Amino acid sequence: MAAKLQATDGGSLGLLDDLEVAEQVNADGQGNFLIVCEHAANHVPSALDNLGLSASLLQTHIAWDPGARGVAEALALALDAPLIAQRVSRLVYDCNRPPESASAIPEVSEIYPIPGNSELTAAQRQDRVDGVYRPFHTAIASHLRSRCAEGRPPVLVTVHSFTPVYRGVKRSVDIGVVCDTDCRLAEALLRRARDSGQFDARLNEPYGPADEVTHTLVEHGLPLSLLNVMIEVRNDLIADSDAQAAMAAWLAECLMQALCTVDHGTGRRSVGR
């Protein structure tokens, strides 16, 4: 299902040469996981004129999660899992935010104004919801429905990266293990990560539910009682393909070990609210 955005003048944005917003990799993977990467790309459709930003700024973390796509793809292959990856910059629409969130189409990202997102009409915002958000989350929901109907509900894992310095403050954490109200997998994964002694892994850092970063988990994992977790990796640790492959291998091992030990009860509780 190819999705097309609309330019502010009503013309087509020519999104990704009419390819789908949600790219599916290893779609026939038979493993226990579904990998999702909401901030995989920094593409801005040409009709949006780079949202008024320089090309160099669109290469930074405000436009996407550098390294996350490479980690997510390697992780999917290591786990024989499908990957659903976003193909449009989160500045066009952040698919880890619901349509009612102001940060879904941010007017400012970190310290940078986003001119192309300023003073959008309700119709222009709806165009982005319909053109980016809905097809991406429909792809996730469709996959989950199919797997659940087969009696093989998958484990939902979303992959992100974060900048080492945010608003001038250095972050010391290496790996963030993020959960919302169901922390079964997150807590098991955190134990495995810490046991390895390789990285500084922390629960709900540098982001947690209070930062509105768990939308995909809440939208898809919680209603189906799926084991779920969001993984945040500091992006200087995954700056090239070798580092991304190494991180994915480590994460795959930790996830498999965690899955063997996790409590499969409902296990819901409020965290970070």
Side-chain angles (χ1 to χ4, degrees), residues 237-248:
L237 299 174
I238 50 173
D240 58 41
S241 58
D242 288 344
Q244 292 159 19
M247 181 62 71

Side-chain angles (χ1 to χ4, degrees), residues 18-260:
D18 293 334
L19 294 179
E20 292 186 2
V21 170
E23 181 181 5
Q24 300 195 35
V25 178
N26 196 34
D28 296 325
Q30 297 299 302
N32 295 320
F33 296 84
L34 170 64
I35 310 300
V36 173
C37 193
E38 300 101 319
H39 303 155
N42 62 349
H43 175 79
V44 176
S46 59
L48 291 182
D49 194 25
N50 281 353
L51 296 170
L53 302 173
S54 68
S56 60
L57 198 52
L58 287 174
Q59 293 297 320
T60 71
H61 70 276
I62 73 164
W64 62 331
D65 283 357
R69 164 61 192 260
V71 172
E73 185 166 350
L75 182 61
L77 295 177
L79 296 172
D80 190 27
L83 162 65
I84 298 177
Q86 175 58 275
R87 305 185 78 176
V88 181
S89 171
R90 66 183 183 188
L91 294 178
V92 175
Y93 188 98
D94 186 336
C95 280
N96 200 25
R97 302 290 191 277
E100 63 271 17
S101 172
S103 61
I105 306 174
E107 294 189 24
V108 177
S109 183
E110 193 180 4
I111 62 173
Y112 302 99
I114 314 300
N117 290 347
S118 178
E119 299 181 355
L120 296 181
T121 67
Q124 289 167 337
R125 291 184 66 89
Q126 191 62 47
D127 282 343
R128 298 200 198 179
V129 171
D130 293 340
V132 180
Y133 173 84
R134 296 206 186 284
F136 183 73
H137 283 278
T138 295
I140 297 171
S142 177
H143 178 84
L144 294 177
R145 281 197 305 270
S146 177
R147 284 286 299 266
C148 289
E150 295 170 0
R152 299 186 303 124
V155 177
L156 177 61
V157 177
T158 70
V159 178
H160 294 256
S161 73
F162 63 94
T163 181
V165 179
Y166 185 74
R167 293 183 180 271
V169 177
K170 184 177 181 180
R171 290 158 156 173
S172 58
V173 61
D174 297 328
I175 307 291
V177 180
V178 181
C179 58
D180 197 271
T181 58
D182 180 352
C183 291
R184 292 172 294 168
L185 181 58
E187 291 176 344
L189 177 59
L190 185 66
R191 288 193 294 270
R192 298 278 73 78
R194 288 177 170 173
D195 286 348
S196 80
Q198 191 168 347
F199 298 105
D200 179 357
R202 305 180 195 176
L203 187 69
N204 286 338
E205 291 190 39
Y207 302 108
D211 302 299
E212 300 183 329
V213 299
T214 55
H215 174 65
T216 298
L217 303 185
V218 171
E219 181 73 11
H220 299 286
L222 299 189
L224 297 173
S225 295
L226 300 177
L227 291 171
N228 64 88
V229 67
M230 174 179 171
I231 297 172
E232 286 271 8
V233 182
R234 205 177 68 223
N235 66 32
D236 60 327
L237 299 174
I238 50 173
D240 58 41
S241 58
D242 288 344
Q244 292 159 19
M247 181 62 71
W250 180 79
L251 286 170
E253 182 65 23
C254 289
L255 281 164
M256 291 300 294
Q257 292 175 357
L259 190 59
C260 291

